[in-house]
Amino acid sequence: MKYIKFCSIILLSVLLIITSSFNGIYSPKEVYSISQNKALSENELKNLFPDANFRNVITRNFKHQEITLNKIASLSGELNANNENIEDLTGISYLENINSFIFWNNNIKQLPKEILNLKNLKSINLANNYITDSTIINTLIKNGVDVNSDLNFIKQGKNQYMLSSKYNKLTLKKGETLSLNKLLYKNINEYEKYWEVTEDISSNIDYMISIQDSKILSLEKNSTLKAESPGTCIVKIALDDNFYERSTTTIKIVVKDK
């Protein structure tokens, strides 16, 4: 009986491993490593490139063709993805023969570590995005990659935005709501405004919001504040959980009964 029970546990473990691979626990490269020439289904492409806009930029290179990992890897030269509303670059390592990426004016907040696996990468334009952490950017530069990271929110760097609010102090009535999207903007007053598109924040951006007293103010739908009870409350809004000074703005809100 012990032997049968032991065999059952092993069989169950094997089944769990197989199932896990198809549920995204294993990386896409592990799942598809043995099928380089297999035509990829729509679901497989979604698993490889979760961001629909990034995926569309890639797949439109193969109109009326079956797409395989080998075909994706065969793309070379420059990949131009300006103004595509891209947020997530997961899967970029499959584009192993692209030597130049242009991601100017998108909604990218962070770079995946897999980008460091691109041995043929010579240049990447990340200007006018929402990146706050320069760790991977600095590694790319050390590896000899020409990186343009202007017009982001990096703590230390030249030509960077600051997250700002139109008002530093506001008064609300009890029960009143306030949409932060209407207050926040990209401040570039510290340097010459060259090839700037807009100071508006993308509606796709999720904020990190710290409310001093939740009894006075509550948060609805990520970017809407509701006045709950009289008092004074400090609200910090940031683009990431590090609350860097450049990517964070503070608003003092006074709530009154009437």
Side-chain angles (χ1 to χ4, degrees):
M1 291 296 292
K2 289 184 178 178
Y3 176 77
I4 294 174
K5 185 176 181 181
F6 178 73
C7 290
S8 299
I9 292 173
I10 292 177
L11 179 60
L12 179 60
S13 298
V14 171
L15 289 173
L16 285 173
I17 290 171
I18 294 172
T19 304
S20 297
S21 69
F22 290 100
N23 285 332
I25 294 177
Y26 291 124
S27 70
K29 187 152 286 187
E30 289 174 311
V31 175
Y32 299 112
S33 60
I34 60 173
S35 52
Q36 299 293 313
N37 290 305
K38 174 184 174 290
L40 298 168
S41 68
E42 185 176 344
N43 284 336
E44 288 171 330
L45 284 168
K46 287 180 179 179
N47 188 39
L48 292 170
F49 306 101
D51 188 294
N53 295 317
F54 186 33
R55 186 167 66 251
N56 289 338
V57 170
I58 296 165
T59 57
R60 68 191 180 202
N61 288 280
F62 306 102
K63 291 182 179 179
H64 312 298
Q65 297 181 44
E66 289 185 335
I67 303 175
T68 66
L69 282 175
N70 274 341
K71 285 185 178 180
I72 292 172
S74 71
L75 292 174
S76 60
E78 179 181 277
L79 184 77
N80 194 322
N82 290 335
N83 300 297
E84 297 285 353
N85 290 315
I86 295 170
E87 298 179 45
D88 185 359
L89 293 178
T90 296
I92 194 171
S93 59
Y94 290 101
L95 300 164
E96 55 191 67
N97 283 304
I98 296 291
N99 57 38
S100 178
F101 290 96
I102 302 178
F103 293 117
W104 178 75
N105 196 35
N106 281 284
N107 300 322
I108 301 165
K109 291 180 71 174
Q110 60 183 2
L111 299 179
K113 290 183 179 179
E114 65 178 288
I115 198 171
L116 300 176
N117 296 329
L118 293 170
K119 304 305 180 184
N120 294 316
L121 183 59
K122 302 299 181 185
S123 67
I124 183 167
N125 188 330
L126 298 163
N128 203 3
N129 279 280
Y130 294 83
I131 300 169
T132 59
D133 189 341
S134 61
T135 303
I136 293 178
I137 288 176
N138 292 337
T139 302
L140 287 171
I141 293 172
K142 287 180 181 178
N143 291 343
V145 179
D146 180 12
V147 181
N148 183 345
S149 59
D150 284 355
L151 302 171
N152 277 276
F153 294 83
I154 297 170
K155 183 178 181 181
Q156 295 180 355
K158 297 179 180 178
N159 302 334
Q160 299 297 303
Y161 286 126
M162 290 188 70
L163 183 65
S164 297
S165 170
K166 295 175 183 177
Y167 305 100
N168 294 323
K169 182 178 180 181
L170 285 169
T171 300
L172 300 177
K173 295 178 182 178
K174 183 179 177 180
E176 188 176 357
T177 59
L178 173 68
S179 173
L180 294 176
N181 287 327
K182 296 180 179 179
L183 292 180
L184 304 177
Y185 67 96
K186 299 182 288 190
N187 186 332
I188 54 174
N189 289 334
E190 292 185 4
Y191 60 92
E192 183 180 356
K193 299 180 182 181
Y194 60 100
W195 45 269
E196 166 56 9
V197 178
T198 176
E199 291 186 343
D200 294 339
I201 301 289
S202 170
S203 59
N204 294 331
I205 293 299
D206 291 327
Y207 301 105
M208 299 297 298
I209 301 173
S210 173
I211 300 175
Q212 184 184 39
D213 191 338
S214 59
K215 293 180 180 179
I216 297 175
L217 287 171
S218 62
L219 181 64
E220 298 181 343
K221 298 179 182 178
N222 179 52
S223 58
T224 299
L225 298 175
K226 182 178 180 181
E228 298 288 356
S229 60
T232 300
C233 188
I234 302 296
V235 179
K236 287 187 176 182
I237 308 102
L239 292 174
D240 62 11
D241 55 7
N242 291 312
F243 287 89
Y244 292 144
E245 180 181 353
R246 186 165 292 279
S247 63
T248 303
T249 191
T250 301
I251 306 173
K252 182 178 182 181
I253 298 179
V254 177
V255 177
K256 295 186 176 180
D257 267 326
K258 296 181 180 180

